[in-house]
DNA sequence: CTGTTAGCGCATTCAT
DNA sequence: ATGAATGCGCTAACAG
């Protein structure tokens, strides 16, 4: 039988008014021990559970946090959502989760869906945090939100992220220190993504500082598979003066690129070194392990929730919090080969013919 | 400014009653073109968005689907949730997401949280679907739910899964066909998990059918890291007649085991073959690629939602739907070595000293 | 075709 | 310390 059990049922059973029941439940006012015991007994016997809906309608606030991410399939977002979930649970809040499937056009509609549910606040990762109509809307309605992964300019919007430019610079410098001079930059489909842009900037700065030529980013379809990437990479890495290293804008791309190079008969890291960005757990498990920038993804989700509740409870002003990152050395990043691959005595043979 | 815009505001602006506004919004009754135009104009101008809460309080039904999984960090669950999210979105529903963090004791409380939010139904993965008090509760309150991954006995409970026993049997047979005779079975921490048990049964059946000795499962800490697994595996694989293959109850475990063996100086697949179960995407990306059972994880989530709505709308009876699986060959599964490892002329050297 | 009205479950005044 | 009464935003039943 469904829940015909309301606060009224409990009140009748306990022989008191619904107001008293409410007071017992929420400890919002003192009640006599006698009545309280009767109410609690009635609640247990009836299996009563206060309806969040009734409560929400009254207070116009729900105990839910809206979450918007590009995709759950990317471990980076899954990890930050896991952090959001854990932190929200500590505050007795539930997650209302939506994903855009990498369609920036879907952001607005999905956020409105969440807003219509009267979420207490939002934690979201958008394609681009600057000049984002959706975020403007949230601000206009003064609905608190915190960005994750996005790195907006200034402190106008609350965000938890890493210093993408600095991290990519550090990674680039590590490649240069390993002897690489021709380093390609491979980006996922969305060059418009703010973090992707910042990462590229970091790469460019490091290259320039070292007196090297920063290549234009080669854009690969983020959602493409290894074969499609192999086709796109064949040209670049078939040239006489092909790059000896590939910096990928994120780990998922790096994994795919590694596989694509392998399919082309190009050995990683003997012929070409590869590095990613994010630090997904499975980069550690593969062999050779993936060199990357380790970012505290889960922690970012947790911090975002903490910041969100600060804003809700104390009206704290938005700010950008940059969490520490670290370089993760990995087997995919080795010293640059001494000779050009074309003169290699043992010609590479495709491993997956 | 927050939303002081209610259906009443719209009605005033459009010069009609709130009932008419409601009718326009929901197309629940015919309205004159004239009034409808005025109402729509008012809605646009005011930026009105009907409150899901008010609607829910009235109808006692929300447009949300509750989701409970062990963890988002496991790509298997992330993938099925992605499927759930996509299918739910098609039906204009949002996900209320919670995770137990592999604590079966948390299931009940979290499900009650979801129920208190009046979810339309639930999609969940529990530790064990049989004799589960939480599921009993849902049935008692006749709240529709569909299990994912779990493989309950009979057809008493709705579920979308694969035939775990048959799949593991097929995988075991593939190992036997590759010449392996001593095959270890490594299980995650929760041998009580119904799917883990069924998988072991499939292994056992295949071994017996081939006249081989089925080993007792070696239980590893599911959440453990590679070093802890290495310690646990050192004994088993250090024996004179060590297994030549390891069947792991899931892919995440297989990945960790592969790394642990490598750390022990045991080469995969030259010395020991490894296989997993689930078919996570990253098993393909690693090298050697992971041999495993490919399960349609995302599809399982989608089907679960479809089944859920069948139950909600047509009162369809619960049933277990077993989706097709396939064996994914991978570099970690090779022919059994001809000679025992102990007599190998080139002693293994640790790759990660 | 449209307006009036009565709750849905709860928190919260205002009385007592 | 407790009860009666009000209304949050909306849908639906009923009147017109």
């Amino acid at each position: 039988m469904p829940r015909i059990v309301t606060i009224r049922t409990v009140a009748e059973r306990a022989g008191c008014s619904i107001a008293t029941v409410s007071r017992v439940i929420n400890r919002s006012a003192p009640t006599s021990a006698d009545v309280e015991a009767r109410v609690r007994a009635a609640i247990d016997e009836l299996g009563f559970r206060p309806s969040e809906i009734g409560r929400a309608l009254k207070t116009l606030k729900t105990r839910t946090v809206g979450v918007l991410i590009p995709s759950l399939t990317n471990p980076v977002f899954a990890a930050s959502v896991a952090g959001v979930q854990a932190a929200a649970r500590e505050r007795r809040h539930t997650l209302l989760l939506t994903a855009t499937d990498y369609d920036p056009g879907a952001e607005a509609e999905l956020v409105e869906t969440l807003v219509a549910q009267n979420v207490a606040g939002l934690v979201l990762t958008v394609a681009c945090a600057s000049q984002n109509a959706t975020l403007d809307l949230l601000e206009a309605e003064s609905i608190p939100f915190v960005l994750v992964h996005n790195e907006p300019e200034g402190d106008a919007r609350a965000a938890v992220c890493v210093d993408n430019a600095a991290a990519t610079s550090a990674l680039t410098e590590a490649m240069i220190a390993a002897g690489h001079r021709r380093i390609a930059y491979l980006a996922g489909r969305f060059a418009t993504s703010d973090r992707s842009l910042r990462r590229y900037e970091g790469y460019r700065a490091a290259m320039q500082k070292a007196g090297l030529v920063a290549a234009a980013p080669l854009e690969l379809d983020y959602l493409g598979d290894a074969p499609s990437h192999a086709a796109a990479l064949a040209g670049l890495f078939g040239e006489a003066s092909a790059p000896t290293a590939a910096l990928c804008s994120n780990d998922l791309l790096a994994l795919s690129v590694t596989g694509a190079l392998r399919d082309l008969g190009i050995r990683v890291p003997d012929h070409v070194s590869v590095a990613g960005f994010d630090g997904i757990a499975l980069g550690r498990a593969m062999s050779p392990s993936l060199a990357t920038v380790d970012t505290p993804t889960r922690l970012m989700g947790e911090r975002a929730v903490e910041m969100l509740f600060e804003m809700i409870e104390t009206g704290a002003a938005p700010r950008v919090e940059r969490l520490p990152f670290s370089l993760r050395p990995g087997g995919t990043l080795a010293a640059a080969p001494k000779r050009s691959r074309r003169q290699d005595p043992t010609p590479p043979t495709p491993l997956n013919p």
Side-chain angles (χ1 to χ4, degrees), chain A:
Chain A
M1 52 210 68
R3 41 178 47 255
I4 354 174
V5 182
T6 83
I7 197 174
R8 219 168 301 271
T9 327
V10 175
E12 284 171 18
R13 176 94 165 211
C16 68
S17 75
I18 63 168
T20 302
V21 175
S22 175
R23 284 191 269 257
V24 169
I25 294 171
N26 303 311
R27 304 181 193 288
S28 52
T31 50
S32 73
D34 174 37
V35 172
E36 172 164 352
R38 291 212 312 277
V39 168
R40 295 214 179 280
I43 288 176
D44 284 351
E45 289 162 18
L46 294 167
F48 170 72
R49 175 157 295 280
S51 158
E52 285 292 336
I53 302 214
R55 174 175 298 174
L57 184 53
K58 183 65 191 172
T59 60
L60 290 188
K61 287 221 176 306
T62 63
R63 289 184 189 166
T64 59
V65 173
V67 175
L68 178 86
I69 51 167
S71 161
L72 265 181
T73 307
N74 188 330
V76 176
F77 302 127
S80 57
V81 172
V84 170
Q85 136 81 27
R89 187 179 164 199
E90 275 185 14
R91 290 173 175 71
R92 317 193 61 80
H93 281 242
T94 320
L95 258 48
L96 264 175
L97 180 78
T98 57
T100 65
D101 270 320
Y102 294 101
D103 172 15
E107 284 173 9
E109 185 194 332
L110 290 173
V111 165
E112 287 192 10
T113 308
L114 296 175
V115 170
Q117 314 251 12
N118 280 63
V119 292
L122 292 160
V123 173
L124 55 176
T125 301
V126 297
C128 184
S130 308
Q131 299 164 349
N132 185 307
T134 306
L135 300 183
D136 292 342
L137 169 77
L138 290 176
E139 274 164 7
E141 304 213 13
S142 59
I143 297 169
F145 68 90
V146 178
L147 297 163
V148 179
H149 297 295
N150 293 110
E151 190 179 359
E153 293 162 30
D155 265 313
R157 284 174 170 160
V160 177
C161 55
V162 294
D163 188 330
N164 286 285
T168 313
S169 280
L171 186 53
T172 308
E173 283 164 8
M175 282 185 154
I176 296 171
H180 295 278
R181 294 294 172 264
R182 298 186 305 278
I183 303 175
Y185 187 89
L186 310 182
R189 187 204 276 170
F190 300 109
T192 53
S193 133
D194 49 12
R195 49 202 180 284
S196 185
L197 280 176
R198 292 209 177 231
R199 288 174 194 172
Y200 180 71
E201 277 311 306
Y203 154 81
R204 211 167 57 82
M207 291 296 275
Q208 285 191 337
K209 192 173 155 195
L212 299 174
V213 181
L218 175 63
E219 286 188 38
L220 298 175
D221 187 342
Y222 188 81
L223 303 172
D225 47 2
S228 82
H229 287 167
L233 294 174
L236 178 60
F237 288 95
E239 294 170 12
S241 60
T244 63
L247 196 52
C248 302
S249 66
N250 65 65
D251 279 357
L252 233 40
L253 188 65
L255 255 49
S256 178
V257 164
T258 303
L261 289 175
R262 212 158 50 212
D263 291 350
L264 289 171
I266 299 171
R267 291 209 295 267
V268 176
D270 301 340
H271 298 146
V272 173
S273 284
V274 173
F277 196 111
D278 285 334
I280 64 178
L282 288 127
R284 273 203 182 84
M286 61 185 273
S287 173
S289 63
L290 180 65
T292 187
V293 175
D294 230 324
T295 66
T297 331
R298 183 187 170 102
L299 179 62
M300 284 165 70
E302 294 173 2
R303 281 297 304 144
V305 171
E306 286 163 14
M307 194 182 282
L308 182 67
F309 277 90
E310 269 180 43
M311 295 170 69
I312 293 173
E313 288 159 9
T314 76
R319 67 197 155 82
V320 175
E321 182 168 319
R322 269 168 256 261
L323 264 35
F325 60 85
S326 64
L327 291 190
R328 185 201 290 174
T332 59
L333 172 49
K338 291 279 192 291
R339 300 181 290 184
S340 158
R341 217 169 60 242
R342 313 208 125 247
Q343 294 145 27
D344 201 75
T346 58
T349 50
L351 295 186
N352 300 324

